[in-house]
Amino acid sequence: MPCAKVREICAAFAVESIEIVSQAFAAELERALRGQNSSLSILPSFLTSPSGEEQGEYIAIDFGGTNVRVMRVSLLGDGRYTTGRKVARPLADLAQGYDLTTPDTTGEELFDFIAALVKRITDAENDYALGLTFSYPMQQKAIDKAVLIEWTKEIKTSATVGRDIKSLLGQALRKQGLHRIEPVAIINDTVAALMAGAYSHSEVCMGSICGTGHNTCYLESSLHTLHGHPMIINTEAGNFSSVRVNSYDRHLDQNSLDPGKQRLEKMTSGKYIGELFRLILLDLMDQSLLPKAFQESSIWHPLSVDARILSSLRGHGLTERRYLQQWLNERGLSVYGASEQNLLAVIAEAILGRASGLIAASFLAILRRNKGVHSDLAVAIDGSIFEKVTGFSADIELFLNQGIKGSVVRLIHTADGSNIGAAVAAAQTTAMG
Ligand code: BGC
């Protein structure tokens, strides 16, 4: 039986009403659409849903999660594609002696790193159009004109905010001798998920990322591309702020690199939910409700816990139990037996249940806007939390189908969505001439 303190924690993480959160999200979105003050944004992508017939070979870069991924993508039409040579590198690899995420690295250095990866999978003799998925808030004036508004997800690379992303990438490619590669589309990863999903499934009207970060985009029928089609809009949903915060959320926020910002993201995404778990664990140790870790344990280090442990605490398979035991051992917590592990599972459940509930509430708000416009509703989603956390996608799907009457909502996982979507965006841009 969980003790009073644990019950208190669960209550602090409970979503009081999905409906109320959803209405608050809808109201914030409406304010943003009217140009009024809002924690959500209406960032234009200048792209519309693809036809599925786009074709050609493209270079696609995915920059914005834990790794940079560069890939050759061939679009075959009829919603089909193949991927070719690819390379991926982490943004930070301390064993290799680099970390591109701190102010010690400049935007130029960051893009030199990315361009060097592009060189590894291309030949300098051929012409290629390139699509870049750049997963941060960007102000765009055209598909290939994007300026970084601010960094999120604890990145603070210097001399990049306010800069034109295409120029940074273009210069870096030229330094590598890649004069025949032309960046033609710069898109957010949610837009990439939508493009990739809609390429094969025409009912996709939203794109979302539930990974290191969280965000959602959708097709807004009142805003149009240059050719008069509904435009895909990035809402920067991770910044949604009409959410009830508790003491752990406040602590996390105050110690983050962007206090007061990305409130929803800090409750739902892979960068932060492990940290919430860690903060609760330390609190329970402090109150002698759990045995204390040794001083040398990594559990004392901020942001040292990733979301995988939360998923393992939910699963009941052998792999999960092994991972949990190894996780505890590595942190000097091997004395935690069945009752402590049950308590940790209750905490993980509280954090994950809130995350999926809040995300579902935000999706509901957008789907209801789209209902009537589209008869079938599907959301294309990518990201490690969606893909790997036990039960996460099923929970969201359940909430959505309870909240939307009269149509079935499908969640479509877009594996490699950031790269495939970047290629589809490059194809749409090239076709528009
Ligand atoms: C960024 C978004 C991005 C999301 C998912 C957030 O931190 O602000 O632009 O779409 O992460 O990667």
Side-chain angles (χ1 to χ4, degrees), residues 134-154:
F134 192 74
S135 315
Y136 300 91
M138 290 180 290
Q139 194 65 60
Q140 295 199 234
K141 292 233 165 66
I143 298 169
D144 64 345
K145 276 200 175 39
V147 165
L148 175 64
I149 299 173
E150 60 191 346
W151 287 119
T152 54
K153 295 175 277 201
E154 307 299 295

Side-chain angles (χ1 to χ4, degrees), residues 135-137 152-153 188-190 209 213-215 236 262 265:
S135 315
Y136 300 91
T152 54
K153 295 175 277 201
N188 183 259
D189 52 355
T190 56
I209 299 294
H214 170 64
N215 186 17
E236 284 299 323
Q262 300 297 105
E265 178 167 86

Side-chain angles (χ1 to χ4, degrees), residues 63-80:
F63 176 85
T66 312
N67 295 298
V68 190
R69 292 197 181 85
V70 185
M71 207 180 271
R72 280 159 73 147
V73 178
S74 294
L75 301 176
L76 309 172
D78 198 21
R80 292 175 307 119

Side-chain angles (χ1 to χ4, degrees), residues 318-337:
L318 193 59
T319 322
E320 283 106 343
R321 274 188 282 133
R322 279 205 186 122
Y323 182 78
L324 169 62
Q325 200 53 57
Q326 185 194 340
W327 189 90
L328 291 170
N329 295 346
E330 283 170 5
R331 284 156 189 80
L333 301 173
S334 48
V335 293
Y336 284 22

